[in-house]
Amino acid sequence: MLVWAVASQKGGVGKTTTVATLAGWLQQEHLRVLVIDTDPHASLTSYLGFDEGEMEYNLFDLYAAPELNREMFLRCTAHTALPGLDIIPAAMSLATIDRQLSGRQGVGRILTRALTLIEDCYDVVLIDCPPVLGALMVNALVASTIILVPTQTEFLALKGLHGMVRTFDIMQQADSTAHFNYIIVPTMFDKRTNASLRSLEFLKNNYQEHIWPEHIPIDTRFRESSARALPLSIMDKGSRGSQAYLSLLRYLIDKELTLHKDKVSPALAAVMIDDEVLLTKKRGHEDKDKAKHQSHEVVAQSVKSMVSTKGEA
């Protein structure tokens, strides 16, 4: 089972859109997909048609459980209207999770341990992260096989990217056994503006080893899809935004076959082999049959206490 976290320390860069659209493509390939909304704002939960206030169980219940077990995990999981696509919804109470877990050892590995309980249930898990470094983000990053960092192609967003890369460095210092495979995904690219062109050039020049070589374009259809509570990859898979995420999905599967081949399910690997599905879909022609130093030390110490396994039962 693969786990992809989508994280950025800047809001409005396309994290939720990335999770929803990739999940939509995976669902159409008849794969088993779980999305986890770890943001107290519950944007992904709303995107997929749920009202977080009406959910009996949510992610907070999983973190607050005195004992992790498969039954509890499945209780916190809800089926979406799309067969094969499940969600663990968020709730406003997640905003208190750092305080709730304060003082406990290994709190940064709760999600990792929980996901081992359901490895046979899903091909891919996608995690939508909050834009704040805390227990929720640390759990998502530690549990991931790949981390996607959506970065809007405008210069203000580059600061958020710098913050995320610095976070990876801090976490690496805190736990030398951890390794974070991150991929920068340029989003909201507008080829008509010099700002987008210059930003994309900057990203490619300065993050060559970690950047996805393509980009997600500006597409007004994304707003329509969120209003309809339906991923764009399902609502309009021929749109340029959908097709860009299809290309990203293929890139991610190919990367995982190199990094974590043992975690790639046969069904997911088959997606790469099926050229008719991934290589010959043309835009607009849908195939109806296929559906700074001191502060670093303070943060590093906090992160280290989260991921430390000492004192665990």
Side-chain angles (χ1 to χ4, degrees), residues 109-310:
R109 296 185 183 275
I110 293 174
L111 189 57
T112 300
R113 297 196 300 271
L115 288 173
T116 62
L117 302 172
I118 47 88
E119 284 184 319
D120 59 327
C121 295
Y122 299 101
D123 298 294
V124 181
V125 176
L126 290 128
I127 308 172
D128 191 8
C129 297
V132 179
L133 178 59
L136 293 168
M137 181 184 285
V138 169
N139 266 270
L141 300 184
V142 170
S144 300
T145 52
I146 282 181
I147 302 163
L148 302 180
V149 187
T151 304
Q152 186 178 355
T153 48
E154 57 96 10
F155 280 99
L156 287 178
L158 300 182
K159 185 175 181 180
L161 172 59
H162 178 70
M164 277 306 307
V165 173
R166 187 172 58 187
T167 294
F168 299 141
D169 291 338
I170 291 172
M171 293 183 67
Q172 190 77 61
Q173 293 169 21
D175 183 1
S176 59
T177 64
H179 184 67
F180 301 99
N181 301 298
Y182 68 93
I183 297 172
I184 298 165
V185 180
T187 60
M188 305 180 190
F189 178 73
D190 188 345
K191 65 181 181 181
R192 300 168 299 178
T193 68
N194 287 330
S196 272
L197 293 168
R198 288 197 300 268
S199 298
L200 185 59
E201 183 179 8
F202 177 88
L203 290 171
K204 289 183 175 180
N205 289 339
N206 290 273
Y207 298 96
Q208 296 178 13
E209 295 182 4
H210 295 282
I211 191 168
W212 176 45
E214 301 180 48
H215 56 263
I216 305 298
I218 285 282
D219 191 337
T220 58
R221 300 286 280 166
F222 283 124
R223 287 197 293 270
E224 296 177 39
S225 71
S226 62
R228 291 177 55 180
L230 192 65
L232 183 59
S233 43
I234 293 176
M235 186 187 84
D236 183 2
K237 55 188 175 182
S239 67
R240 58 182 182 176
S242 290
Q243 289 296 303
Y245 274 110
L246 178 59
S247 181
L248 174 61
L249 175 61
R250 186 171 183 272
Y251 179 86
L252 292 172
I253 299 173
D254 186 56
K255 182 73 70 174
E256 290 285 31
L257 286 169
T258 301
L259 294 173
H260 307 105
K261 188 174 182 179
D262 59 317
K263 295 180 180 293
V264 179
S265 69
L268 186 59
V271 172
M272 288 296 290
I273 299 171
D274 192 347
D275 288 345
E276 286 187 0
V277 173
L278 281 175
L279 297 180
T280 63
K281 284 181 178 177
K282 296 182 180 179
R283 185 176 301 158
H285 294 80
E286 298 181 0
D287 183 351
K288 295 182 180 179
D289 295 327
K290 298 181 179 178
K292 281 152 177 186
H293 185 66
Q294 185 178 8
S295 63
H296 278 209
E297 291 182 348
V298 173
V299 176
Q301 188 61 35
S302 176
V303 171
K304 187 173 183 178
S305 69
M306 292 185 196
V307 301
S308 173
T309 56
K310 293 180 180 179

Side-chain angles (χ1 to χ4, degrees), residues 34-39 44-45 48 50 55 57-63 72-80 86-91 94 111 114-115 118 122 125-126:
L34 173 67
V35 296
I36 304 177
D37 191 352
T38 70
D39 191 337
L44 179 63
T45 300
L48 293 178
F50 293 91
M55 304 299 292
Y57 295 97
N58 56 64
L59 184 62
F60 181 85
D61 298 301
L62 187 64
Y63 277 108
M72 184 62 197
F73 193 105
L74 296 176
R75 189 180 301 159
C76 295
T77 303
H79 300 303
T80 71
D86 295 342
I87 184 173
I88 297 183
L94 285 171
L111 189 57
L115 288 173
I118 47 88
Y122 299 101
V125 176
L126 290 128

Side-chain angles (χ1 to χ4, degrees), residues 25-101:
W25 275 121
L26 289 164
Q27 186 271 341
Q28 287 186 91
E29 300 302 339
H30 309 292
L31 295 166
R32 302 165 302 166
V33 189
L34 173 67
V35 296
I36 304 177
D37 191 352
T38 70
D39 191 337
H41 291 103
S43 296
L44 179 63
T45 300
S46 298
Y47 198 124
L48 293 178
F50 293 91
D51 182 342
E52 57 98 1
E54 296 180 357
M55 304 299 292
E56 184 176 2
Y57 295 97
N58 56 64
L59 184 62
F60 181 85
D61 298 301
L62 187 64
Y63 277 108
E67 180 182 351
L68 287 173
N69 56 61
R70 184 182 174 101
E71 181 182 355
M72 184 62 197
F73 193 105
L74 296 176
R75 189 180 301 159
C76 295
T77 303
H79 300 303
T80 71
L82 303 170
L85 176 57
D86 295 342
I87 184 173
I88 297 183
M92 191 178 298
S93 54
L94 285 171
T96 70
I97 205 68
D98 284 326
R99 186 170 71 252
Q100 299 285 342
L101 300 177

